Amino acid sequence: MEDRINSFPPFIDKDSKILILGSVPGVKSLEMQQYYAHPQNHFWKIMFHLLAEPVTSDYEEKLAMLQRSGIAVWDTIESCVRKGSKDTDIKNEEANDIAKLLKEFPNIKAVFCNGQKAFKNLSKQFKNKEVGINFYGLPSTSPLHTVGLEKNLRNGNRFFIICKFWSFICEFKPFKPYRCAKSIRFLEFLLLVFSIFKIKY
């Protein structure tokens, strides 16, 4: 019998306004028991810059940063069989009940899916259901999808979604920066994304 892997409990509280969903933790994340633990995953790097927070390797401080900004994280898959960390190798998956979570935490205003697999899973779960909330697909921050992310960032729709994500972040931060500071930080964020994935601009 193949061993099943399980996702982590959701990181969320009553003040969370944004939910970011992945597919299921990778090998390194399971080993460390931390969300996005692989050092080459760009999730935390982008969050630090997007939220204008100091970089830290301390996991509890990373979670505290998300909490201050009203950001929750979870995965669409509760358990599955998978060799390695590739989403394409996932088999026999069981879904997390995202709709139930949203009912329990009604302050969530938008859901962003980290990667195509998470977006497909959520779309399937919400099919023919009135959930009363918008959800968006973002390019994966996984190091296994760097090329795909560069390609997606060139797409106008993906670019719009990233802008949308940034706008939600700014709206729900406890201490809103001045409008000009928002614009500067946004431009800096885009330049960071461009530099990470070597996109010409």
Side-chain angles (χ1 to χ4, degrees):
M1 180 181 293
E2 295 179 286
D3 292 334
R4 295 185 69 82
I5 61 174
N6 296 86
S7 63
F8 306 140
F11 178 77
I12 191 169
D13 64 23
K14 62 181 180 61
D15 296 320
S16 298
K17 302 296 191 300
I18 300 168
L19 174 62
I20 301 176
L21 293 172
S23 54
V24 71
V27 172
K28 189 63 175 180
S29 292
L30 292 168
E31 176 188 329
M32 301 291 292
Q33 288 294 291
Q34 298 178 5
Y35 280 104
Y36 304 106
H38 196 291
Q40 293 179 355
N41 191 297
H42 299 293
F43 177 83
W44 293 113
K45 182 181 292 186
I46 291 175
M47 287 296 103
F48 288 135
H49 200 84
L50 187 61
L51 301 174
E53 293 272 2
V55 176
T56 177
S57 60
D58 187 281
Y59 184 60
E60 294 302 319
E61 291 182 10
K62 293 177 181 177
L63 293 180
M65 171 186 67
L66 296 184
Q67 187 175 38
R68 287 193 301 272
S69 300
I71 300 174
V73 291
W74 203 22
D75 289 305
T76 56
I77 297 173
E78 188 278 326
S79 67
C80 66
V81 174
R82 184 197 61 201
K83 292 182 179 180
S85 295
K86 292 183 178 180
D87 285 346
T88 53
D89 292 332
I90 292 174
K91 300 176 182 178
N92 304 325
E93 63 190 76
E94 297 289 338
N96 275 319
D97 194 338
I98 308 302
K100 180 181 178 182
L101 185 79
L102 295 176
K103 288 182 179 179
E104 293 176 354
F105 296 90
N107 284 330
I108 295 291
K109 305 301 181 186
V111 178
F112 292 87
C113 297
N114 187 348
Q116 185 178 32
K117 176 64 174 174
F119 184 73
K120 286 183 176 179
N121 285 357
L122 191 63
S123 299
K124 181 179 179 180
Q125 190 173 147
F126 284 177
K127 186 178 181 180
N128 300 323
K129 290 184 180 179
E130 290 292 334
V131 294
I133 194 170
N134 292 325
F135 59 99
Y136 307 88
L138 288 168
S140 174
T141 60
S142 167
L144 298 174
H145 297 88
T146 300
V147 174
L149 179 52
E150 177 176 345
K151 180 179 178 181
N152 283 334
L153 283 174
R154 294 180 186 274
N155 181 290
N157 291 331
R158 295 297 186 184
F159 184 79
F160 167 78
I161 291 171
I162 291 174
C163 294
K164 190 76 173 176
F165 178 66
W166 173 82
S167 70
F168 270 101
I169 292 289
C170 287
E171 180 179 355
F172 296 126
K173 281 204 73 173
F175 300 98
K176 297 179 182 178
Y178 291 106
R179 186 178 300 273
C180 62
K182 285 184 180 180
S183 300
I184 292 171
R185 201 168 72 209
F186 181 44
L187 290 173
E188 289 177 341
F189 166 63
L190 290 181
L191 290 174
L192 172 69
V193 173
F194 290 161
S195 65
I196 289 173
F197 301 104
K198 298 181 175 62
I199 299 174
K200 295 182 180 180
Y201 54 93

